[in-house]
Amino acid sequence: MFDQNQLPFDMVQLLDENGNGDEEALQQFSDEFLVTLYKWMRKARVIDERLLKMQRQGRIGTYAPFSGQEAAQIGSVLALEKEDWIFPSYREIAACLAHGLPLTQIFHYVRGHVLGGRTPEHLNIFPIQIIIGAQTLHATGCAWAAKLKGEKQVSVCYFGDGATSEGDFHEAMNFASVYQVPVIFFCQNNQYAISVPVHKQTASRTIAQKAIAYGMKGVLVDGNDALAVYKTMKEAVDSARNGEGPMLIEALTYRLGPHTTSDDPTKYRSAEEAEQWRRKKDPLHRLRVLLEKRGLWTEEKEEAWVAQANDEITAAYEEAVAAETGSIVDVFDYVYGKPSKLLQEQQQEAARRKQGKEVK
Ligand SMILES: Cc1ncc(C[n+]2csc(CCOP(=O)(O)OP(=O)(O)O)c2C)c(N)n1
Ligand SMILES: [Mg+2]
């Protein structure tokens, strides 16, 4: 039988589960950077927990929690330049925020407001993708455009382990490598696609090794180690920016919560399994230990950071609630740059019905 263990895919890790690592390797990260990284991750955790509660209170719609995946998202996004494009799925709320998306936008999105699908003009963040894997093609196209125009922007698509079974993923990988476009395929392998565990998703030992077939570099990184993720992503982005083509990164992580607020994970995995990850491999814990060793963390600071995050959440929520409710007539404006004749007719009909008070 083919022995996949021969393939060169050791996991990149700088900080182990207890916050220890090679001192020399850790010296490359400044105190300021470590605090920024940790504060973002802490804030992301608070936001995720609040959003989950708000869904239970009926304040927002269906929500896909990302707790456990903060290091993968924040670590990777902080390695980008503001001009770089990101193509998120519904799971990457933390990545979107750290790349500049205002929290109010997230509230618009989870409250089903039309504004939630529109990124403010100056931000290079694609709308949140629900169709599994589709954004891999959009990112590849965007990166190809940058290459043709001679621009230096890199495109990063975020997707899950389940997305690697979609044709879109393979088409995007193939095209990106043939045309050597500056795109990074960043897979958050959180080990489940709803109820399907990763060993039922693929027979490959790693997702990273799928890169070999397309003639591109693949790297497996500990997705709960924010420093390893940052370093891996920085190298990938620098090389793509220098014209050295695409890369596939597999960040091995774990979704601590349900797939979405409509899911009950106890139906397909043991509570014990999730608890083990929460207790032993929490991405925040190991970074906090490092910060503490450097004298950068105290309980008071933590409390202040959490309080600040909570205030921001309350303010963003209130701003979103105060926004004028959209009308059914508006949604047609945001489908294409120039609306088709059919859409125009539908919009006119919606306007007529609205006048007749048949719709809102
Ligand atoms: C093309 C397509 N097929 C099926 C679905 C239904 N669906 C929503 S989420 C999901 C699982 C995706 O798992 P993964 O790619 O691992 O991402 P994760 O949710 O774990 O972040 C599926 C099958 C969909 N949204 N799009
Ligand atoms: Mg998954």
Side-chain angles (χ1 to χ4, degrees):
M1 199 184 159
F2 175 55
D3 182 6
Q4 297 192 46
N5 290 317
Q6 300 297 320
L7 292 169
F9 284 97
D10 292 334
M11 190 168 72
V12 180
Q13 188 188 65
L14 295 180
L15 206 53
D16 72 13
E17 293 158 19
N18 303 314
N20 299 316
D22 177 62
E23 283 306 320
E24 219 177 286
L26 295 177
Q27 277 314 316
Q28 63 185 296
F29 301 105
S30 69
D31 288 356
E32 194 192 348
F33 175 75
L34 291 181
V35 171
T36 303
L37 184 60
Y38 181 77
K39 275 177 76 176
W40 260 117
M41 286 168 57
R42 195 70 195 85
K43 178 164 147 178
R45 176 70 58 91
V46 178
I47 290 170
D48 195 57
E49 290 175 351
R50 279 279 294 274
L51 284 169
L52 192 61
K53 283 186 199 143
M54 289 172 121
Q55 192 280 336
R56 300 303 189 216
Q57 293 164 345
R59 290 168 189 244
I60 64 169
T62 310
Y63 174 65
F66 59 78
S67 277
Q69 302 183 214
E70 295 88 348
Q73 296 191 32
I74 306 287
S76 59
V77 140
L78 292 191
L80 307 182
E81 299 295 330
K82 194 107 184 76
E83 301 73 41
D84 293 330
W85 281 92
I86 65 166
F87 295 74
S89 85
Y90 48 82
R91 189 78 61 206
E92 280 88 28
I93 301 294
C96 290
L97 293 170
H99 204 46
L101 197 68
L103 187 51
T104 313
Q105 278 296 122
I106 300 296
F107 278 114
H108 286 319
Y109 179 77
V110 291
R111 296 181 77 248
H113 196 289
V114 69
L115 286 175
R118 296 198 77 203
T119 307
E121 289 294 331
H122 58 286
L123 294 172
N124 289 348
I125 302 173
F126 243 58
I128 288 171
Q129 181 59 265
I130 303 278
I131 305 164
I132 303 301
Q135 72 276 25
T136 54
L137 290 165
H138 304 157
T140 302
C142 183
W144 191 28
K147 181 172 177 168
L148 292 175
K149 288 188 197 160
E151 289 170 356
K152 284 287 172 198
Q153 287 148 309
V154 173
S155 294
V156 178
C157 51
Y158 285 92
F159 52 94
D161 40 297
T164 64
S165 296
E166 289 287 345
D168 287 2
F169 165 73
H170 298 277
E171 290 157 21
M173 292 275 287
N174 188 53
F175 191 100
S177 198
V178 170
Y179 286 87
Q180 288 289 288
V181 304
V183 60
I184 310 301
F185 296 94
F186 192 91
C187 179
Q188 288 195 83
N189 176 0
N190 64 5
Q191 309 195 41
Y192 287 91
I194 315 184
S195 57
V196 179
V198 72
H199 67 86
K200 290 253 176 72
Q201 193 68 247
T202 179
S204 303
R205 183 174 68 84
T206 67
I207 284 169
Q209 74 197 48
K210 291 177 192 286
I212 297 174
Y214 296 101
M216 85 172 69
K217 187 173 172 189
V219 180
L220 171 64
V221 61
D222 182 342
N224 284 11
D225 172 358
L227 299 179
V229 171
Y230 175 84
K231 185 169 179 283
T232 303
M233 187 63 150
K234 188 88 180 66
E235 285 167 8
V237 168
D238 286 349
S239 93
R241 215 185 296 288
N242 288 336
E244 290 163 47
M247 200 183 288
L248 170 65
I249 297 173
E250 173 186 1
L252 191 66
T253 181
Y254 191 83
R255 154 166 67 72
L256 291 173
H259 169 72
T260 66
T261 44
S262 315
D263 175 47
D264 174 5
T266 62
K267 298 266 186 256
Y268 54 83
R269 69 185 193 190
S270 68
E272 173 73 64
E273 179 189 298
E275 201 41 42
Q276 284 287 330
W277 277 85
R278 190 180 287 280
R279 253 187 295 127
K280 297 217 169 119
K281 297 193 182 185
D282 189 312
L284 274 76
H285 170 75
R286 64 182 84 178
L287 198 54
R288 183 162 53 230
V289 172
L290 180 65
L291 255 66
E292 216 176 344
K293 276 192 215 159
R294 288 212 194 169
L296 303 169
W297 185 92
T298 59
E299 250 170 61
E300 294 73 47
K301 277 188 186 166
E302 177 96 356
E303 275 169 26
W305 293 335
V306 169
Q308 194 186 354
N310 271 315
D311 289 349
E312 275 181 50
I313 297 165
T314 305
Y317 176 70
E318 280 168 6
E319 192 186 328
V321 170
E324 220 174 285
T325 313
S327 152
I328 188 79
V329 182
D330 303 337
V331 298
F332 299 92
D333 289 336
Y334 307 120
V335 183
Y336 296 112
K338 278 193 203 130
S340 67
K341 192 165 167 289
L342 191 65
L343 271 184
Q344 277 173 327
E345 283 169 12
Q346 288 178 9
Q347 186 169 33
Q348 282 156 10
E349 186 182 337
R352 267 198 310 278
R353 287 183 183 218
K354 192 183 169 212
Q355 264 184 346
K357 303 269 185 281
E358 286 168 57
V359 292
K360 210 171 161 205

